[in-house]
DNA sequence: CTATTTCCATAACGGCTGGTATATAAGTGG
DNA sequence: CCACTTATATACCAGCCGTTATGGAAATAG
């Protein structure tokens, strides 16, 4: 029926699965991304993935494990602009790459609008608390990396000497989060572009 | 058992209710505020409100109507700093009042952390879509008011002449939303203060 | 007092949730 | 051909969801 998984290296015995794990995971990511962890029901997921519930549980474990794998995929393929941004030669370059990268991702027509991390970390019932904690930890790690980068930038003279690098990291993160919220609220790409350009005009140093 | 509603002006016939509607609504607001619309179950609500489900339905209609009344209360008593901020004499004053007002509210120990509007607008399953739309409409109205204020500020010379007032409104909104996200993620008041001070240092004009 | 009205408490409703048991289909190794 | 292993399909589970019907309790009106 469906495309086989291409890893013919290990010719497993038993009945081969009829769906591609990677494609199914990508479909699951889209559902989580647009509806959030709790808003995505197993029925939503199985329908989007084109498989039945037993197949899902056999291949991915359970809903929580599926989400974590989708989150890995998200960071690897969608949010890699964050890591790339930190390699920019100047702090201004970091801010530029980060904001335009976020802008592109949030407004890409084939993606849901907004940031999966923001969506998942904001609010949840009691049973999703560990999911929320996992997402928060990734956000904290990203912020730590940005902080180190800005500390270096300050040493390199990218900022005026009285600059609060930690405050600037929180600031850049906040604008990014706000952009995600506004994208989810239906802001157009043109509106978000003006937000980015305004923010960069205010950005200090080089 | 509980405190009676103080409106003895109309001595209704029939059995009087044993709880205070306003206090129950305030309790419901706290639940929605910390768990979101979908994350707040009727069991959560009735427990926090100290009433049973039939009492809730008799007094407030249903979950959606209860949320809308809680949202009214929120705007009236918690988010009034937004309207107050627009009365500041200069655009910088608007930004100051808005950010410090948000900071105070997001970090007040007796409030849940973050902004109810952001929490509710971010992600939801299908059945909460109309709730989300209602919240988005209020956010859009707030943004429109800020936009008008900044257009006036530009005429009054609060900004450099080449300023994008619309971009600045989106910017201020984004920082506010980001602050809400970070507050919900567990940021300390000190961290958010540095975010606010950094943002105000970058804010243009007077 | 009774009649009436309103509220409270219990318990239940249909529907959906995440998660599974069972039976069958489709492959491989002998 | 026959085991054996793995995946699929159907049906089902207990539990929670928002919501409501039912019966009794507490007030006023006459």
């Amino acid at each position: 029926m469906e495309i086989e998984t291409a890893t013919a290296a290990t010719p497993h015995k038993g009945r081969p699965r009829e769906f591609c794990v990677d494609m199914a995971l990508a479909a699951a990511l889209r559902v989580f991304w647009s509806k959030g962890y709790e808003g995505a029901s197993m029925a939503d997921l199985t329908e989007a993935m084109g498989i039945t519930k037993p197949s899902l549980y056999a291949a991915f474990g359970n809903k929580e494990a599926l989400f974590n794998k989708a989150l890995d995929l998200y960071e690897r393929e969608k949010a890699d602009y964050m890591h790339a941004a930190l390699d920019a030669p100047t702090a201004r370059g970091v801010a530029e790459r980060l904001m335009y990268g976020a802008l592109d991702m949030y407004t890409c027509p084939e993606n849901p609008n907004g940031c999966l991390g923001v969506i998942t970390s904001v609010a949840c019932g009691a049973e999703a608390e560990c999911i929320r904690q996992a997402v928060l930890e990734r956000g904290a790690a990203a912020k730590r990396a940005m902080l180190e980068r800005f500390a270096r930038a300050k040493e390199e003279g990218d900022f005026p000497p009285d600059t609060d690098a930690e405050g600037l990291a929180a600031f850049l993160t906040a604008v990014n989060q706000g952009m995600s919220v506004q994208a989810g609220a239906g802001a157009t790409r043109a509106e978000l572009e003006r937000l980015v350009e305004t923010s960069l005009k205010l950005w200090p140093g080089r």
Side-chain angles (χ1 to χ4, degrees), chain A:
Chain A
M1 283 288 184
E2 298 258 350
I3 301 172
E4 293 178 336
T5 170
T7 60
T10 52
H12 284 102
K13 54 189 175 181
R15 177 175 177 175
R17 64 163 47 97
E18 298 175 359
F19 65 95
C20 169
V21 175
D22 292 338
M23 289 188 184
L25 185 59
L29 170 56
R30 283 188 53 86
V31 177
F32 283 129
W33 197 348
S34 55
K35 300 196 170 193
Y37 177 73
E38 292 184 299
S41 70
M42 296 302 292
D44 293 331
L45 291 164
T46 52
E47 184 187 349
M49 299 165 83
I51 63 178
T52 59
K53 281 196 276 187
S55 297
L56 190 157
Y57 277 83
F60 300 101
N62 60 9
K63 187 183 180 183
E64 181 175 343
L66 175 63
F67 178 85
N68 282 114
K69 283 168 179 145
L71 188 57
D72 288 335
L73 175 63
Y74 177 81
E75 280 209 328
R76 194 175 339 117
E77 296 205 345
K78 302 291 181 179
D80 57 338
Y81 73 91
M82 285 210 180
H83 302 97
L86 297 185
D87 295 335
T90 64
R92 171 168 292 274
V94 172
E96 280 174 358
R97 288 193 198 177
L98 198 77
M99 288 191 175
Y100 281 111
L103 173 68
D104 284 343
M105 198 186 65
Y106 295 163
T107 60
C108 175
E110 68 188 15
N111 287 341
N113 301 122
C115 168
L116 177 63
V118 173
I119 289 168
T120 312
S121 73
V122 161
C124 61
E127 77 267 10
E129 188 58 31
C130 61
I131 288 286
R132 184 167 163 269
Q133 290 302 326
V135 171
L136 288 181
E137 174 49 39
R138 304 214 188 193
K143 192 166 179 179
R144 259 179 271 126
M146 190 191 298
L147 204 60
E148 289 178 17
R149 179 66 185 84
F150 282 173
R152 198 190 89 196
K154 193 173 175 183
E155 293 175 3
E156 293 173 348
D158 287 359
F159 295 132
D162 66 333
T163 302
D164 175 8
E166 202 162 329
L168 270 180
F171 168 82
L172 189 53
T173 304
V175 173
N176 201 345
Q177 289 162 337
M179 187 158 44
S180 168
V181 172
Q182 293 183 27
T188 66
R189 177 176 175 100
E191 289 173 319
L192 297 182
E193 268 176 357
R194 295 173 81 167
L195 168 56
V196 169
E197 286 162 13
T198 299
S199 303
L200 286 176
K201 208 165 285 179
L202 301 180
W203 187 258
R206 66 185 172 85

